[in-house]
Amino acid sequence: MIKSRAVIAPGKGKPVEVVRIDLPEPGPGEVLVRVQACGVCHTDLHYREGGINDEFPFLLGHEAAGVVEAVGPGVSDVSENDFVVLNWRAVCGQCRACSRGKPWYCFDTNNADQPMRLEDGTELSPALGIGAFSERTLVHAGQCTRVDPAARPVVVSLLGCGVMAGIGAAINTGGITRGDSVAVIGCGGVGNGSIAGAALAGAEKIIAVDRDPKKLAWAQEFGATHTVNAAETDTVSAVRSLTGGNGADVVIDAVGRPETFEQAFYARDLAGTAVLVGVPTPEMELKLPLLDVFGRGGAVKSSWYGDCLPSRDFPMLTNLYQQGRLPLDKFVTEEITLDEVEDAFAKMERGEVLRSVVVF
């Protein structure tokens, strides 16, 4: 057994704990990764609060980068000492989505088969099949995406979830291209990822919408050309006013609430696109006049993990970061230790950080 120090969520709503865990040697198709950095993502807080499921205890953390320490039988895509960003979309290559040439929709993604455990033998549920708030973690080989080893782990780790979700919502799902007008509702890590993605794609006008002046200031650092304080003005009216009365070509809801998605729906131009990338909770419901859905045309889409293909997108975005064309480093508000994860959750809930990143 391999020993590791890690952060777990022991029960619904309970503070996280730093404990020792046991990992098996990698089996067929599995990889042992020595984690170097892992971002504190809102999804981890959802796990702690029981918002995903009740399969406690959870081994938290999933937005990570590190070095392959050992590989199991049959692993050929990665080798020992490879620098990798972990992903939770390890495509199977065989499901109906993969067979149709759309692996970013893979319906049967892979995870490690062997469980990681507490020292008393209790099986852990790794967050998004990764569990990277740990010195080491066991994952499926397909969850490891090689990127340039010269890149800083604390920065490129964020491609593992939130930043990728935001950039992908803009480029992959929203199809933003040069000259487009774009509005992004919610300017946390995912929303600012969408703003950075829109800027990278050549959008002419990028409107950031939030209720927090601090987040609106952050949005400008990622490429927002205009800001709207939703606490002071009506979002739909403001976006239309800034787009000649028409609405934006693409509106991205990075909050994930019925009221914000309704704003996204009506703030887009006729035949425009509304994208939902913020994660709603199970009880939320959306009510829209069906005639408006029909009459306004365009597209209403959800974006799951930014419709990304890690093997394609992670290396490309890493290279753009290294070229100075994608400001990934601006997402890192602070670097912390494993013992500070609970405090990082509190800071995230108060809107004080874009990303706290655990550094090992």
Side-chain angles (χ1 to χ4, degrees), residues 327-357:
L328 290 179
D329 52 317
K330 292 183 182 293
F331 286 95
V332 181
T333 308
E334 62 174 2
E335 299 180 20
I336 64 172
T337 67
L338 276 179
D339 299 286
E340 297 173 287
V341 168
E342 186 68 27
D343 289 340
F345 281 146
K347 291 176 183 177
M348 181 170 59
E349 288 188 296
R350 293 194 298 265
E352 296 175 4
V353 295
L354 273 179
R355 271 297 185 271
S356 302
V357 182

Short mmCIF file of all heavy atoms in Angstrom, two decimals, residues 327-357:
data_model
loop_
_atom_site.label_atom_id
_atom_site.label_comp_id
_atom_site.label_asym_id
_atom_site.label_seq_id
_atom_site.Cartn_x
_atom_site.Cartn_y
_atom_site.Cartn_z
N PRO A 327 -4.10 34.53 -20.17
CA PRO A 327 -3.59 34.91 -18.85
C PRO A 327 -4.02 33.97 -17.72
O PRO A 327 -4.68 34.37 -16.76
CB PRO A 327 -4.18 36.31 -18.66
CG PRO A 327 -5.48 36.27 -19.40
CD PRO A 327 -5.22 35.41 -20.60
N LEU A 328 -3.64 32.69 -17.83
CA LEU A 328 -4.04 31.72 -16.81
C LEU A 328 -3.55 32.09 -15.42
O LEU A 328 -4.21 31.81 -14.41
CB LEU A 328 -3.51 30.33 -17.18
CG LEU A 328 -4.13 29.62 -18.39
CD1 LEU A 328 -3.46 28.28 -18.60
CD2 LEU A 328 -5.63 29.45 -18.22
N ASP A 329 -2.37 32.72 -15.33
CA ASP A 329 -1.81 33.05 -14.03
C ASP A 329 -2.69 34.02 -13.24
O ASP A 329 -2.66 34.03 -12.01
CB ASP A 329 -0.41 33.63 -14.19
CG ASP A 329 -0.37 34.79 -15.17
OD1 ASP A 329 -1.00 34.69 -16.24
OD2 ASP A 329 0.30 35.78 -14.88
N LYS A 330 -3.51 34.81 -13.93
CA LYS A 330 -4.37 35.78 -13.25
C LYS A 330 -5.50 35.10 -12.46
O LYS A 330 -6.13 35.73 -11.61
CB LYS A 330 -4.96 36.77 -14.26
CG LYS A 330 -3.94 37.71 -14.89
CD LYS A 330 -4.63 38.69 -15.83
CE LYS A 330 -3.63 39.61 -16.53
NZ LYS A 330 -2.98 40.51 -15.57
N PHE A 331 -5.77 33.84 -12.75
CA PHE A 331 -6.82 33.12 -12.01
C PHE A 331 -6.35 32.72 -10.61
O PHE A 331 -7.17 32.44 -9.73
CB PHE A 331 -7.25 31.86 -12.77
CG PHE A 331 -8.09 32.13 -13.98
CD1 PHE A 331 -7.51 32.21 -15.24
CD2 PHE A 331 -9.46 32.29 -13.87
CE1 PHE A 331 -8.28 32.46 -16.36
CE2 PHE A 331 -10.24 32.54 -14.98
CZ PHE A 331 -9.65 32.63 -16.24
N VAL A 332 -5.06 32.65 -10.39
CA VAL A 332 -4.52 32.17 -9.12
C VAL A 332 -4.47 33.32 -8.12
O VAL A 332 -3.62 34.20 -8.20
CB VAL A 332 -3.12 31.55 -9.30
CG1 VAL A 332 -2.60 31.04 -7.95
CG2 VAL A 332 -3.16 30.43 -10.33
N THR A 333 -5.41 33.31 -7.17
CA THR A 333 -5.45 34.35 -6.15
C THR A 333 -4.46 34.08 -5.04
O THR A 333 -3.81 35.00 -4.52
CB THR A 333 -6.87 34.46 -5.56
OG1 THR A 333 -7.82 34.60 -6.61
CG2 THR A 333 -6.98 35.65 -4.61
N GLU A 334 -4.34 32.81 -4.65
CA GLU A 334 -3.44 32.46 -3.56
C GLU A 334 -2.99 31.02 -3.69
O GLU A 334 -3.69 30.18 -4.27
CB GLU A 334 -4.11 32.68 -2.20
CG GLU A 334 -5.36 31.81 -1.98
CD GLU A 334 -5.93 31.93 -0.57
OE1 GLU A 334 -5.38 32.72 0.22
OE2 GLU A 334 -6.92 31.23 -0.27
N GLU A 335 -1.82 30.72 -3.13
CA GLU A 335 -1.31 29.36 -3.03
C GLU A 335 -1.38 28.95 -1.56
O GLU A 335 -0.94 29.69 -0.69
CB GLU A 335 0.12 29.28 -3.56
CG GLU A 335 0.24 29.67 -5.03
CD GLU A 335 1.67 29.60 -5.56
OE1 GLU A 335 2.49 28.89 -4.93
OE2 GLU A 335 1.95 30.24 -6.59
N ILE A 336 -1.93 27.75 -1.31
CA ILE A 336 -2.19 27.32 0.06
C ILE A 336 -1.67 25.89 0.27
O ILE A 336 -1.20 25.24 -0.67
CB ILE A 336 -3.69 27.39 0.40
CG1 ILE A 336 -4.49 26.41 -0.49
CG2 ILE A 336 -4.22 28.82 0.24
CD1 ILE A 336 -5.95 26.28 -0.09
N THR A 337 -1.81 25.41 1.51
CA THR A 337 -1.46 24.03 1.84
C THR A 337 -2.74 23.21 2.03
O THR A 337 -3.85 23.77 2.09
CB THR A 337 -0.64 23.97 3.14
OG1 THR A 337 -1.48 24.37 4.24
CG2 THR A 337 0.57 24.91 3.06
N LEU A 338 -2.58 21.91 2.16
CA LEU A 338 -3.73 21.04 2.42
C LEU A 338 -4.50 21.45 3.66
O LEU A 338 -5.73 21.37 3.71
CB LEU A 338 -3.27 19.58 2.59
CG LEU A 338 -3.06 18.73 1.34
CD1 LEU A 338 -2.57 17.36 1.75
CD2 LEU A 338 -4.35 18.61 0.53
N ASP A 339 -3.79 21.94 4.66
CA ASP A 339 -4.44 22.29 5.93
C ASP A 339 -5.32 23.53 5.81
O ASP A 339 -6.08 23.83 6.74
CB ASP A 339 -3.37 22.53 7.00
CG ASP A 339 -2.52 21.29 7.26
OD1 ASP A 339 -3.04 20.36 7.89
OD2 ASP A 339 -1.37 21.25 6.80
N GLU A 340 -5.25 24.24 4.69
CA GLU A 340 -5.99 25.48 4.53
C GLU A 340 -7.21 25.35 3.61
O GLU A 340 -7.82 26.34 3.24
CB GLU A 340 -5.06 26.58 4.00
CG GLU A 340 -3.92 26.92 4.94
CD GLU A 340 -2.91 27.87 4.32
OE1 GLU A 340 -2.15 27.44 3.43
OE2 GLU A 340 -2.91 29.06 4.72
N VAL A 341 -7.56 24.13 3.23
CA VAL A 341 -8.67 23.94 2.29
C VAL A 341 -9.99 24.43 2.86
O VAL A 341 -10.78 25.10 2.17
CB VAL A 341 -8.77 22.46 1.86
CG1 VAL A 341 -10.08 22.19 1.12
CG2 VAL A 341 -7.58 22.08 0.99
N GLU A 342 -10.27 24.13 4.12
CA GLU A 342 -11.54 24.58 4.72
C GLU A 342 -11.63 26.10 4.71
O GLU A 342 -12.69 26.67 4.38
CB GLU A 342 -11.67 24.04 6.15
CG GLU A 342 -13.01 24.34 6.81
CD GLU A 342 -14.18 23.60 6.18
OE1 GLU A 342 -13.98 22.51 5.60
OE2 GLU A 342 -15.30 24.13 6.27
N ASP A 343 -10.55 26.79 5.03
CA ASP A 343 -10.54 28.25 4.96
C ASP A 343 -10.74 28.73 3.52
O ASP A 343 -11.40 29.75 3.29
CB ASP A 343 -9.22 28.81 5.50
CG ASP A 343 -9.09 28.65 7.01
OD1 ASP A 343 -10.13 28.48 7.67
OD2 ASP A 343 -7.94 28.70 7.51
N ALA A 344 -10.19 28.01 2.57
CA ALA A 344 -10.34 28.38 1.16
C ALA A 344 -11.80 28.28 0.72
O ALA A 344 -12.27 29.12 -0.06
CB ALA A 344 -9.46 27.50 0.28
N PHE A 345 -12.53 27.28 1.21
CA PHE A 345 -13.95 27.18 0.91
C PHE A 345 -14.69 28.43 1.41
O PHE A 345 -15.55 28.98 0.72
CB PHE A 345 -14.56 25.94 1.56
CG PHE A 345 -14.29 24.65 0.83
CD1 PHE A 345 -14.12 23.47 1.53
CD2 PHE A 345 -14.21 24.61 -0.55
CE1 PHE A 345 -13.89 22.28 0.86
CE2 PHE A 345 -13.99 23.43 -1.24
CZ PHE A 345 -13.81 22.25 -0.52
N ALA A 346 -14.37 28.86 2.62
CA ALA A 346 -15.02 30.05 3.19
C ALA A 346 -14.72 31.29 2.36
O ALA A 346 -15.60 32.12 2.09
CB ALA A 346 -14.58 30.25 4.64
N LYS A 347 -13.48 31.43 1.92
CA LYS A 347 -13.11 32.58 1.08
C LYS A 347 -13.85 32.53 -0.25
O LYS A 347 -14.28 33.56 -0.77
CB LYS A 347 -11.60 32.60 0.85
CG LYS A 347 -10.77 32.91 2.07
CD LYS A 347 -9.28 32.83 1.75
CE LYS A 347 -8.42 33.06 2.99
NZ LYS A 347 -6.98 32.90 2.69
N MET A 348 -13.99 31.35 -0.80
CA MET A 348 -14.69 31.20 -2.07
C MET A 348 -16.16 31.59 -1.93
O MET A 348 -16.71 32.31 -2.77
CB MET A 348 -14.58 29.75 -2.55
CG MET A 348 -15.23 29.47 -3.88
SD MET A 348 -14.81 27.81 -4.50
CE MET A 348 -15.42 26.78 -3.15
N GLU A 349 -16.80 31.15 -0.85
CA GLU A 349 -18.20 31.50 -0.62
C GLU A 349 -18.39 33.00 -0.42
O GLU A 349 -19.43 33.55 -0.78
CB GLU A 349 -18.74 30.73 0.59
CG GLU A 349 -18.94 29.25 0.33
CD GLU A 349 -19.65 28.56 1.48
OE1 GLU A 349 -19.08 28.52 2.59
OE2 GLU A 349 -20.78 28.09 1.26
N ARG A 350 -17.39 33.66 0.14
CA ARG A 350 -17.48 35.11 0.35
C ARG A 350 -17.08 35.91 -0.89
O ARG A 350 -17.13 37.14 -0.89
CB ARG A 350 -16.60 35.53 1.53
CG ARG A 350 -17.06 35.00 2.88
CD ARG A 350 -16.35 35.70 4.03
NE ARG A 350 -14.91 35.52 4.02
CZ ARG A 350 -14.26 34.58 4.71
NH1 ARG A 350 -14.95 33.72 5.46
NH2 ARG A 350 -12.94 34.49 4.66
N GLY A 351 -16.67 35.22 -1.94
CA GLY A 351 -16.29 35.90 -3.17
C GLY A 351 -14.96 36.62 -3.11
O GLY A 351 -14.71 37.55 -3.87
N GLU A 352 -14.06 36.16 -2.23
CA GLU A 352 -12.78 36.85 -2.03
C GLU A 352 -11.69 36.36 -2.97
O GLU A 352 -10.65 37.02 -3.10
CB GLU A 352 -12.32 36.67 -0.59
CG GLU A 352 -13.25 37.30 0.45
CD GLU A 352 -12.82 36.99 1.88
OE1 GLU A 352 -11.77 36.35 2.04
OE2 GLU A 352 -13.54 37.39 2.81
N VAL A 353 -11.90 35.22 -3.62
CA VAL A 353 -10.85 34.63 -4.45
C VAL A 353 -11.44 34.15 -5.77
O VAL A 353 -12.62 33.80 -5.87
CB VAL A 353 -10.17 33.43 -3.73
CG1 VAL A 353 -9.42 33.88 -2.50
CG2 VAL A 353 -11.19 32.35 -3.39
N LEU A 354 -10.60 34.14 -6.81
CA LEU A 354 -10.95 33.43 -8.03
C LEU A 354 -10.58 31.96 -7.86
O LEU A 354 -11.39 31.08 -8.06
CB LEU A 354 -10.22 34.03 -9.22
CG LEU A 354 -10.89 35.22 -9.90
CD1 LEU A 354 -10.02 35.72 -11.05
CD2 LEU A 354 -12.27 34.85 -10.42
N ARG A 355 -9.32 31.71 -7.49
CA ARG A 355 -8.90 30.35 -7.19
C ARG A 355 -7.84 30.35 -6.12
O ARG A 355 -6.83 31.03 -6.20
CB ARG A 355 -8.31 29.66 -8.44
CG ARG A 355 -9.31 28.92 -9.32
CD ARG A 355 -9.97 27.76 -8.56
NE ARG A 355 -10.83 26.99 -9.44
CZ ARG A 355 -12.11 27.24 -9.66
NH1 ARG A 355 -12.69 28.26 -9.08
NH2 ARG A 355 -12.81 26.47 -10.47
N SER A 356 -8.10 29.55 -5.09
CA SER A 356 -7.05 29.14 -4.17
C SER A 356 -6.50 27.82 -4.73
O SER A 356 -7.26 26.97 -5.18
CB SER A 356 -7.62 28.88 -2.76
OG SER A 356 -8.25 30.04 -2.25
N VAL A 357 -5.19 27.68 -4.73
CA VAL A 357 -4.57 26.48 -5.29
C VAL A 357 -3.69 25.82 -4.23
O VAL A 357 -2.79 26.46 -3.67
CB VAL A 357 -3.73 26.80 -6.53
CG1 VAL A 357 -3.14 25.50 -7.12
CG2 VAL A 357 -4.58 27.51 -7.58
#
